[in-house]
Amino acid sequence: MVNRQPKAGKQKMITGEIPTAGELTGIELRMLPPFIKENGTTPVFPFPGNAKLYCLVMVVSDANNQLIGGIDLQGFPRIGDKEHLPINKTLFYWEPSTDNKTAPRQIHMACSIIKCKQSLRDVAKILTSVKSDEDYKGVVKTLEKLAKNASGATLFLDALSQLGSLVGKYLKDVEDKPLGAIVQSYTALRGDFDNKGVQRRQYMTPRVMFDFELVVRDKTATPVKSIRGGKKSQALVHEEVIVDLQPFKS
């Protein structure tokens, strides 16, 4: 019997070793317009059944430049069924710099679309209050320690939960009810940063479809083009995490 030895070039694949992300030159997570399938408001003539909605996004990671300011809250006054929220923005962005050369190993994101039955509050004031809160400052310090120690995903997700509770504290309205929510993790261990270029990530909930792009570049990559507006590409649809959220309590 011939005892065939694996070729050196295939050793990593056989042993299950995960390729390093050390050659990455950029990672970006973009949020595309979420689609509101149903806003939870029944039309009653002559009113069209529009709703006032918030979009709450929180991002934490082990990249030092992303630890502070990972909360975004926007309000939209008149949104109907089968409409997109006018959102197209970067949630997370990393490029190597002199003081931040190490590529992130994990990015955790939570997004909620929240229906407001009262008047929309001043979201800028809410975010200012949250970031001035001592509990928020404590969460930021915890995140700094987690990043330095390369901690596991569970601790980062706990930090996301704490940030969500802080926003709820300052919304102060039990009438605010989430229409849909997701929690997603992108990690080097899972291989999320191995595929270079633009990856479409869509997550479906009963009333909201969330839409994102994960952009990954390395030293050999050519400039990437978004799959929006170009040739039709197959979206990478991953299993969503649907979170059963309770109304915010004051």
Side-chain angles (χ1 to χ4, degrees):
M1 179 181 292
V2 179
N3 184 13
R4 298 184 182 276
Q5 295 296 325
K7 294 182 179 179
K10 296 184 178 180
Q11 186 63 39
K12 281 189 176 182
M13 184 180 299
I14 293 173
T15 59
E17 183 177 343
I18 297 173
T20 178
E23 293 300 307
L24 296 183
T25 60
I27 296 177
E28 180 181 12
L29 179 63
R30 293 190 62 84
M31 183 176 186
L32 306 183
F35 181 64
I36 308 301
K37 296 186 290 182
E38 182 184 349
N39 67 9
T41 300
T42 303
V44 178
F45 184 83
F47 304 103
N50 291 334
K52 298 181 285 290
L53 303 178
Y54 293 109
C55 179
L56 172 63
V57 182
M58 299 172 290
V59 180
V60 299
S61 83
D62 57 353
N64 290 330
N65 66 325
Q66 295 290 331
L67 292 176
I68 299 177
I71 305 179
D72 186 69
L73 181 68
Q74 289 181 263
F76 302 91
R78 291 177 295 276
I79 302 297
D81 291 343
K82 296 180 173 58
E83 287 190 24
H84 287 87
L85 292 186
I87 300 173
N88 192 324
K89 61 184 178 183
T90 296
L91 303 180
F92 176 93
Y93 189 86
W94 172 85
E95 280 186 324
S97 61
T98 303
D99 56 352
N100 191 24
K101 296 180 179 179
T102 304
R105 303 287 300 174
Q106 49 186 315
I107 303 169
H108 307 281
M109 176 268 298
C111 183
S112 298
I113 303 299
I114 305 164
K115 179 181 177 180
C116 175
K117 290 191 175 182
Q118 304 298 325
S119 299
L120 289 173
R121 265 79 80 209
D122 185 338
V123 294
K125 183 178 180 180
I126 291 173
L127 289 178
T128 298
S129 298
V130 169
K131 294 178 182 181
S132 299
D133 193 290
E134 290 302 318
D135 289 335
Y136 173 82
K137 295 176 182 178
V139 173
V140 171
K141 290 181 179 178
T142 298
L143 287 172
E144 291 173 347
K145 294 178 181 178
L146 295 179
K148 291 178 181 178
N149 297 328
S151 300
T154 302
L155 297 177
F156 281 94
L157 292 173
D158 286 344
L160 274 180
S161 177
Q162 293 177 53
L163 292 176
S165 297
L166 282 171
V167 175
K169 172 182 174 182
Y170 287 96
L171 278 174
K172 293 182 178 178
D173 195 334
V174 296
E175 295 296 327
D176 292 342
K177 298 180 179 179
L179 290 181
I182 60 167
V183 176
Q184 277 300 130
S185 296
Y186 307 105
T187 65
L189 187 63
R190 186 178 183 272
D192 290 302
F193 309 136
D194 292 347
N195 295 323
K196 309 305 183 294
V198 180
Q199 307 167 47
R200 190 74 168 266
R201 304 294 179 98
Q202 294 177 319
Y203 309 102
M204 191 74 71
T205 68
R207 291 183 173 181
V208 181
M209 186 184 78
F210 296 89
D211 204 353
F212 301 87
E213 284 180 345
L214 180 63
V215 184
V216 181
R217 293 198 58 176
D218 65 6
K219 293 179 180 179
T220 62
T222 56
V224 297
K225 294 181 180 179
S226 171
I227 61 178
R228 292 163 290 146
K231 293 183 178 180
K232 186 177 180 181
S233 301
Q234 183 178 4
L236 299 179
V237 182
H238 288 240
E239 181 181 359
E240 71 272 11
V241 179
I242 303 175
V243 184
D244 183 17
L245 298 180
Q246 299 299 318
F248 287 125
K249 295 181 180 180
S250 58

